[in-house]
């Protein structure tokens, strides 16, 4: 069955309302754009109703209909029973006149076919011993069974719908006529595309389309004269538009032999009840909508109850005339109803999707921050019945992780915390542990150790290469400690000469040296009292200054330069260096006793190349910070640009990454940053292609392709430290595809 609903990607704005509301889960998200999965779509049209951007487009046959009319072909309209509920501002006769003015030579009611379908149902059900047989008037229900519950396909009553039957009757009388069904149902357009339906129905227009055509032709329905319908002699069945309309027209069954339900949720509940052997009746009369008066293209501003009343009032009026019509033997508009084949076969066409392993489901749930069963709170925002179903959909590429509302809220909270921390922090400190981004094992271990160390009074030594965030850790430790309300003083020991460093650290008295400030000056140790002092690049201190620092750590007192009395201080010392202090001790360049005084708690900040899987998170944080601080429009890196950054070695670590992002951000005017926007040296890689073909033996192409694919997957995993998400991004494939490759190649 064809999909007749398209999505305009230029209008789709990532609200995902269609995904949440799709009963069949037939809309997948790919690169943040919703797309219809034809093999799963049941053409119910619900996505049309919930799309606030009008990004859904229904296939239209208006061009074909106009072309037939322009070529003087006979075009016949057949109206769905719910037409009264939609065209409520005119009488049925005025609507018939309008259709004639639009170029339709005759106008029939689909009640003509509905009546015959009811008769065939009566005959079949009387002879059959089957239970739980399913009515087939609603094409959406047929689609739902064929595509999602194929085990029940044999329960579908083997008859065409009233629309198709009406078309067959009209074609029987006039084979050359073009038959156009007019109704409220989008699924009828897809039903028409089926091979057997094409023989009886040539086009489908919705009520909404007919109203638009009237506006284009300046046809004011309420001012038109009245014209009768083409057909006359039949027992009407226009109540098919209402819930239970089919059952009301069955003559040989009691109410307790027919189970009637309507609405998508109730339909699924009923079907699951049948599958679980909870239900056993003769006939299941199922409508996906609340009757055809609630079809997705009914195009009526009236309430459902008002629409129902309109149809019932119309039926009562018709009831007064029906006996006269049936008894009129001279009515030349009678159509022969007997001896025609209205049978239909149903073909299950389920799309088989690969099922993930328990481990793969757990990995996806973990990424969504759902580690324990209590985390799997189903808010329903994604449209799936459970978080596990959501994880399976992500694996099957029907959904994206980013559609998880709690996950998005966590991301938003991080961003909100960033701004909150910036507002609440003292000007002396800039960072908290929330600013240290990364989910790698190395970063998590460093953060956990630093958080634990923050609660102690011990001296802390931070080791790591330049640009790995040693100062960020120092700030974060201070802000997480009991001293957070005290001062945070930082000193770069490598940036100040030895003579000035002593005065900078210890302060000086008036007249201590030429140029000494009148009244003297407090040193950094003094200013850090009751707080924290951060000694960056402590490995660059001279041996003389090292001895003075050692005394401060041992005695917890200082003496100003040129002074003659000591002063007690209460400080926490955090030291940092990118140098190998152990080797410096061996070489005699660093005091061993000071080393052990500083090295009470050691924290190692990992190099970016050793946690490359954290790069996308860090980039996103840098862009968020840059956007906020400089009040610039937000930009994003393309996948190719991100992959290019992940292949670079980053000798300058996060500091180098931040500089590149800031530079690229400032020089790029587009909303997306592409590889060509990056510095040239980032784009230069030393990748090589393995030689798989030799002169002696040629392997089958499939084997060569598989070998290259396997090597690429393995290399990507090694490069990203076996982080599957980043490996998938590096390979430019979805994670579910990566999982399939891992299983295929036993990696």
């Amino acid at each position: 069955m064809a999909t007749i609903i398209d999505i305009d990607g230029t209008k789709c704005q990532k609200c995902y309302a269609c995904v949440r509301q799709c009963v069949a889960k037939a809309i997948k998200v790919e690169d943040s754009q919703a797309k219809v999965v034809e093999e799963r779509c049941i053409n119910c049209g619900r996505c049309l109703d919930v799309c606030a951007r009008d990004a859904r487009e229904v296939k239209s046959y208006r061009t074909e209909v106009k072309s037939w009319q322009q070529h003087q072909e006979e075009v016949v309209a057949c109206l769905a029973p719910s037409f009264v509920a939609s065209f409520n501002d005119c009488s049925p006769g005025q609507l018939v006149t309008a259709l004639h003015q639009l170029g339709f030579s005759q106008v029939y009611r689909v009640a003509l076919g509905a009546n015959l379908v009811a008769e065939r149902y009566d005959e079949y059900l009387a002879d059959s011993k089957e239970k739980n047989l399913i009515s087939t008037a609603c094409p959406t229900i047929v689609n739902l069974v064929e595509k999602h519950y194929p085990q029940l396909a044999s329960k579908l009553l083997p008859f065409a719908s009233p629309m198709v039957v009406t078309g067959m009757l009209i074609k029987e009388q006039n084979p050359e006529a073009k038959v156009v069904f007019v109704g409220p149902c989008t699924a009828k357009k897809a039903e028409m595309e089926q091979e057997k339906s094409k023989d009886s129905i040539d086009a489908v227009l919705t009520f909404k389309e007919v109203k638009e055509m009237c506006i284009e032709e300046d046809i004011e329905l309420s001012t038109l004269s009245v014209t009768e319908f083409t057909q006359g002699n039949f027992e009407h069945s226009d109540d098919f538009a209402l819930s239970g309309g089919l059952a009301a027209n069955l003559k040989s069954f009691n109410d307790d032999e027919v189970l009637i339900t309507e609405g998508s949720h109730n339909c699924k509940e009923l079907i699951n009840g049948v599958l679980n052997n909870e239900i056993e009746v003769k006939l299941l009369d199922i409508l996906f909508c609340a009757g055809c008066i609630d079809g997705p293209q009914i195009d009526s501003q009236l309430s459902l109850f008002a629409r129902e009343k309109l149809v019932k009032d119309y039926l009562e009026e018709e009831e007064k005339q029906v006996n006269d019509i049936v008894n009129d033997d001279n009515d030349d508009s009678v159509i022969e109803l007997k001896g025609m084949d209205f049978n239909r076969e149903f073909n299950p066409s389920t799309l088989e999707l690969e099922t993930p392993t328990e481990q793969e489901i757990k990995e996806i749930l973990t990424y969504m921050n759902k580690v324990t069963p209590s985390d799997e709170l189903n808010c329903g925002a994604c449209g799936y019945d459970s978080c596990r179903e959501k994880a399976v959909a992500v694996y099957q590429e029907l959904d994206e992780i980013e559609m998880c509302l709690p996950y998005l809220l966590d991301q938003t909270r991080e961003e909100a915390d960033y701004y909150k921390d910036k507002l609440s922090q003292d000007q002396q400190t800039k960072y908290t542990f929330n600013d240290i981004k990364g989910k790698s094992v190395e970063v998590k271990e460093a953060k956990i150790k630093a958080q634990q160390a923050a609660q102690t009074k011990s001296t802390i030594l931070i080791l790591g290469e330049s640009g790995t965030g040693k100062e960020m850790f120092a700030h974060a430790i201070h802000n997480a400690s009991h001293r957070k309300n005290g001062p945070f003083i930082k000193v770069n020991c490598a940036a100040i000469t030895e003579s000035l460093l002593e005065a900078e650290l210890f302060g000086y008295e008036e007249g201590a040296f030429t140029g000494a400030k009148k009244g003297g000056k407090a040193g950094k140790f003094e200013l850090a009292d009751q707080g924290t002092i951060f000694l960056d690049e402590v490995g660059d201190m001279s041996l003389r200054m090292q001895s003075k620092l050692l005394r401060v750590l041992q005695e917890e007192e200082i003496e100003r330069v040129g002074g003659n009395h000591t002063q007690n201080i209460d400080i926490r010392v955090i030291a940092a260096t990118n140098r190998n202090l152990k080797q410096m001790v061996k070489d005699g360049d660093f005091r061993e006793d000071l080393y052990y005084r500083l090295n009470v708690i050691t924290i190692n900040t990992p190099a970016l190349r050793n946690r490359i899987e954290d790069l996308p998170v860090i980039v996103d944080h840098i862009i968020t910070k840059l956007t906020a601080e400089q009040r610039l429009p937000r930009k994003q890196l393309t996948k190719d640009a991100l992959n290019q950054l992940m292949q670079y070695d980053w000798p300058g670590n996060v500091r180098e990454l931040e500089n590149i992002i800031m530079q690229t951000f400032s020089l790029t005017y587009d909303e997306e940053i592409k590889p060509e926007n990056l510095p040239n040296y980032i784009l230069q890689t030393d990748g090589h292609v393995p030689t798989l073909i030799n002169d002696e033996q040629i392997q089958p192409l499939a084997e060569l392709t598989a070998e290259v694919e396997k090597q690429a997957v393995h290399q990507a995993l090694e490069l990203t430290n076996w982080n599957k998400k980043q490996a998938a991004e590096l390979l430019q494939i979805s994670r579910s595809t990566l999982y399939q490759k891992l299983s295929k190649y036993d990696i």
Side-chain angles (χ1 to χ4, degrees):
M1 182 169 290
T3 300
I4 43 76
I5 300 174
D6 291 324
I7 298 177
D8 185 349
T10 62
K11 295 181 180 178
C12 185
Q13 295 294 312
K14 306 180 187 178
C15 72
Y16 305 130
C18 57
V19 179
R20 289 191 296 273
Q21 295 295 325
C22 183
V23 176
K25 297 298 170 257
I27 300 177
K28 71 175 182 177
V29 179
E30 191 174 278
D31 296 329
S32 298
Q33 288 288 314
K35 296 185 178 180
V36 175
V37 182
E38 181 178 335
E39 296 83 358
R40 295 178 64 85
C41 181
I42 59 176
N43 297 300
C44 66
R46 174 167 291 187
C47 56
L48 298 168
D49 294 332
V50 301
C51 182
R53 301 282 301 184
D54 289 328
R56 302 296 178 277
E57 298 176 350
V58 184
K59 185 174 182 179
S60 178
Y61 299 93
R62 288 173 60 178
T63 303
E64 289 89 335
V65 172
K66 286 185 177 180
S67 175
W68 298 331
Q69 293 169 340
Q70 289 170 357
H71 287 82
Q72 306 300 312
E73 293 190 61
E74 185 173 359
V75 184
V76 178
C78 49
L79 273 174
S82 56
F83 71 92
V84 181
S86 179
F87 294 89
N88 57 283
D89 56 348
C90 67
S91 69
Q94 288 175 319
L95 175 58
V96 174
T97 301
L99 290 171
H100 280 304
Q101 290 188 12
L102 286 174
F104 294 97
S105 60
Q106 300 182 73
V107 182
Y108 289 84
R109 283 180 288 184
V110 176
L112 179 68
N115 181 71
L116 189 56
V117 168
E119 290 180 8
R120 293 297 170 90
Y121 276 15
D122 261 327
E123 296 170 3
Y124 186 87
L125 292 169
D127 295 336
S128 175
K129 295 181 180 180
E130 284 279 331
K131 296 291 185 181
N132 296 331
L133 293 168
I134 302 172
S135 62
T136 55
C138 176
T140 301
I141 293 297
V142 173
N143 296 343
L144 184 66
V145 171
E146 286 188 320
K147 294 186 177 184
H148 297 274
Y149 300 96
Q151 62 270 51
L152 294 180
S154 61
K155 297 288 186 181
L156 292 168
L157 282 165
F159 299 108
S161 68
M163 175 190 78
V164 173
V165 172
T166 303
M168 293 174 69
L169 292 170
I170 295 172
K171 293 272 190 176
E172 180 73 13
Q173 298 296 311
N174 189 354
E176 300 302 319
K178 298 292 185 181
V179 180
V180 179
F181 173 81
V182 181
C185 184
T186 55
K188 287 296 184 184
K189 291 178 179 268
E191 182 185 4
M192 188 219 77
E193 294 283 353
Q194 291 182 327
E195 200 59 39
K196 184 168 183 177
S197 301
K198 284 182 177 179
D199 295 335
S200 57
I201 301 294
D202 298 286
V204 171
L205 296 176
T206 65
F207 291 150
K208 184 177 182 180
E209 287 177 303
V210 169
K211 289 181 180 180
E212 291 171 351
M213 292 167 69
C214 288
I215 293 173
E216 290 172 4
E217 298 296 328
D218 292 325
I219 298 174
E220 183 62 48
L221 281 81
S222 60
T223 64
L224 300 177
S225 59
V226 174
T227 305
E228 295 297 325
F229 284 97
T230 301
Q231 84 281 19
N233 192 3
F234 69 95
E235 186 177 346
H236 76 91
S237 299
D238 274 323
D239 49 352
F240 263 70
L242 304 176
S243 175
L246 169 64
N249 283 274
L250 296 178
K251 300 174 182 178
S252 56
F253 293 95
N254 299 322
D255 291 344
D256 58 354
E257 293 181 283
V258 182
L259 186 55
I260 302 168
T261 193
E262 61 184 27
S264 58
H265 177 75
N266 292 336
C267 289
K268 292 185 71 175
E269 286 285 309
L270 178 60
I271 289 174
N272 287 324
V274 172
L275 292 174
N276 294 329
N277 298 316
E278 299 170 354
I279 296 168
E280 186 175 290
V281 294
K282 191 68 176 178
L283 174 65
L284 303 174
D285 183 10
I286 313 177
L287 292 176
F288 193 81
C289 303
C292 295
I293 58 172
D294 192 39
Q297 296 286 286
I298 190 70
D299 193 41
S300 174
Q301 299 300 316
L302 300 177
S303 69
L304 180 65
F305 305 102
R307 283 176 253 156
E308 182 178 6
K309 186 176 186 305
L310 282 174
V311 173
K312 287 182 176 179
D313 290 346
Y314 173 64
L315 289 174
E316 289 179 6
E317 182 66 27
E318 288 292 293
E319 189 72 28
K320 298 175 183 178
Q321 306 173 23
V322 68
N323 291 329
D324 293 337
I325 296 175
V326 171
N327 294 325
D328 184 4
D329 294 332
N330 297 320
D331 190 344
D332 59 4
S333 63
V334 176
I335 292 181
E336 179 60 47
L337 305 179
K338 305 297 182 182
M340 299 185 66
D341 180 15
F342 301 141
N343 293 340
R344 176 184 172 183
E345 294 181 359
F346 298 97
N347 302 305
S349 55
T350 306
L351 174 64
E352 297 295 336
L353 297 172
E354 189 169 346
T355 304
T357 64
E358 185 64 28
Q359 179 60 32
E360 288 165 337
I361 292 175
K362 190 175 294 184
E363 285 184 11
I364 295 172
L365 287 172
T366 300
Y367 187 84
M368 293 190 294
N369 299 324
K370 299 181 184 299
V371 181
T372 65
S374 61
D375 295 332
E376 295 183 29
L377 171 66
N378 180 37
C379 62
C382 65
Y384 290 89
D385 293 335
S386 69
C387 297
R388 290 181 63 81
E389 280 191 28
K390 158 82 174 182
V392 172
V394 170
Y395 178 85
Q396 294 172 338
E397 298 187 6
L398 294 175
D399 203 1
E400 287 186 339
I401 284 178
E402 287 70 19
M403 274 207 53
C404 176
L405 182 58
Y407 172 84
L408 288 175
L409 288 174
D410 284 343
Q411 300 292 99
T412 305
R413 285 191 193 102
E414 283 189 17
E415 189 171 344
D417 288 343
Y418 169 80
Y419 294 110
K420 187 187 296 182
D421 290 338
K422 289 290 178 263
L423 290 172
S424 62
Q425 285 174 25
D426 187 278
Q427 290 184 350
Q428 294 171 314
T429 54
K430 297 179 181 179
Y431 310 109
T432 68
F433 284 113
N434 285 330
D435 292 299
I436 303 172
K437 300 298 180 181
K439 296 183 179 181
S440 63
V441 174
E442 294 83 358
V443 168
K444 287 181 179 178
E445 288 180 349
K447 287 176 72 171
I448 291 171
K449 192 171 184 180
Q451 288 168 333
Q452 293 172 339
Q455 306 309 311
T456 71
K457 296 180 180 180
S458 302
T459 302
I460 298 172
L461 178 63
I462 305 176
L463 301 176
E465 297 178 11
S466 293
T468 54
K470 297 187 291 297
E471 184 176 338
M472 290 183 73
F473 270 89
H475 283 240
I477 291 169
H478 173 77
N479 283 323
S481 72
H482 300 299
R483 298 173 178 267
K484 62 183 178 182
N485 294 322
F488 178 84
I489 306 298
K490 56 183 179 180
V491 181
N492 189 329
C493 302
I496 307 173
T497 62
E498 180 183 350
S499 58
L500 293 177
L501 181 60
E502 182 178 4
E504 188 73 13
L505 287 173
F506 293 91
Y508 55 84
E509 297 289 358
E510 184 177 340
F513 50 83
T514 303
K517 189 177 181 179
K518 186 177 181 180
K521 180 183 177 182
K524 299 296 188 183
F525 284 128
E526 224 176 307
L527 294 174
D529 191 32
Q530 303 299 314
T532 303
I533 187 167
F534 174 52
L535 302 176
D536 198 9
E537 304 302 344
V538 71
D540 290 80
M541 268 189 178
S542 66
L543 289 171
R544 175 174 167 275
M545 285 302 300
Q546 289 175 30
S547 64
K548 286 183 171 291
L549 174 59
L550 178 62
R551 185 174 182 276
V552 174
L553 295 175
Q554 288 176 332
E555 307 298 333
E556 295 186 348
E557 62 181 24
I558 61 167
E559 186 177 310
R560 287 186 178 186
V561 176
N564 53 21
H565 69 276
T566 60
Q567 178 180 343
N568 293 327
I569 55 172
D570 176 17
I571 59 173
R572 144 77 72 74
V573 175
I574 301 177
T577 182
N578 61 1
R579 305 183 69 175
N580 188 336
L581 293 187
K582 280 188 178 181
Q583 187 60 45
M584 291 180 69
V585 170
K586 289 180 182 179
D587 297 339
D589 296 327
F590 201 86
R591 292 180 63 106
E592 185 175 17
D593 47 3
L594 176 60
Y595 173 72
Y596 289 114
R597 278 286 181 181
L598 293 174
N599 194 30
V600 178
I601 298 177
T602 304
I603 297 168
N604 290 284
T605 55
L608 181 55
R609 62 181 167 276
N610 295 330
R611 58 176 186 117
I612 198 69
E613 66 268 30
D614 289 335
L615 186 141
V617 179
I618 298 171
V619 167
D620 187 68
H621 178 68
I622 292 171
I623 291 177
T624 298
K625 179 175 130 182
L626 196 60
T627 302
E629 290 178 350
Q630 298 192 16
R631 299 180 181 274
L632 296 172
R634 187 178 179 87
K635 298 177 183 178
Q636 295 289 347
L637 271 74
T638 64
K639 286 184 179 180
D640 290 340
L642 196 60
N643 290 336
Q644 197 68 50
L645 293 178
M646 293 181 71
Q647 296 179 54
Y648 182 59
D649 196 44
W650 298 108
N653 293 293
V654 177
R655 183 178 296 127
E656 182 184 7
L657 174 61
E658 186 170 16
N659 290 339
I660 286 175
I661 295 299
M662 291 178 69
Q663 172 191 335
T664 308
F665 199 96
S666 301
L667 298 177
T668 304
Y669 296 101
D670 296 331
E671 292 183 1
E672 287 189 331
I673 297 174
K674 301 174 182 177
E676 54 264 31
N677 302 129
L678 300 174
N680 289 332
Y681 72 91
I682 295 289
L683 303 177
Q684 296 171 358
T685 59
D686 297 324
H688 68 280
V689 179
T691 302
L692 298 174
I693 303 176
N694 55 53
D695 295 332
E696 298 176 0
Q697 184 181 8
I698 297 296
Q699 293 176 257
L701 186 59
E703 292 181 13
L704 286 172
T705 304
E707 184 62 29
V708 171
E709 195 170 66
K710 182 177 180 181
Q711 288 184 17
V713 170
H714 201 277
Q715 185 178 355
L717 288 167
E718 287 187 340
L719 185 61
T720 58
N721 198 22
W722 290 80
N723 182 286
K724 294 184 178 65
K725 179 177 183 293
Q726 301 304 331
E729 291 179 351
L730 197 59
L731 293 165
Q732 297 186 33
I733 60 176
S734 66
R735 269 181 303 140
S736 57
T737 301
L738 177 61
Y739 293 139
Q740 293 168 11
K741 303 298 182 189
L742 296 178
S743 176
K744 178 180 179 180
Y745 300 122
D746 195 25
I747 298 177

